[in-house]
Amino acid sequence: MSQTEIHTLARQMLEQYGQAAIARAAQQAVACESRGEDDDARAWRHIESAMKIIRGPGQG
């Protein structure tokens, strides 16, 4: 997944779910990890990180 795709998905999730989007991405990553889907888990972790950057400092 490209950085552009990650950033786009991160923004879409934040718009749809608000601050709960970060927790949703983390849950998806854990679910993928438990199924041994390491590439998908890594993508979800990147999306989670992108959301944290978009959200900015001091946003809880």
Side-chain angles (χ1 to χ4, degrees):
M1 183 175 292
S2 74
Q3 289 291 23
T4 302
E5 291 170 315
I6 288 169
H7 189 77
T8 299
L9 285 171
R11 282 204 176 277
Q12 289 173 346
M13 286 190 69
L14 281 169
E15 288 174 9
Q16 185 173 358
Y17 300 109
Q19 294 306 312
I22 295 170
R24 284 178 172 266
Q27 290 168 345
Q28 289 293 328
V30 169
C32 289
E33 290 164 351
S34 71
R35 293 188 301 263
E37 299 168 354
D38 295 336
D39 289 340
D40 290 340
R42 199 170 6 265
W44 280 111
R45 294 289 182 200
H46 287 303
I47 294 167
E48 178 186 3
S49 294
M51 285 189 276
K52 289 176 182 177
I53 291 169
I54 292 167
R55 180 186 65 183
Q59 293 292 314

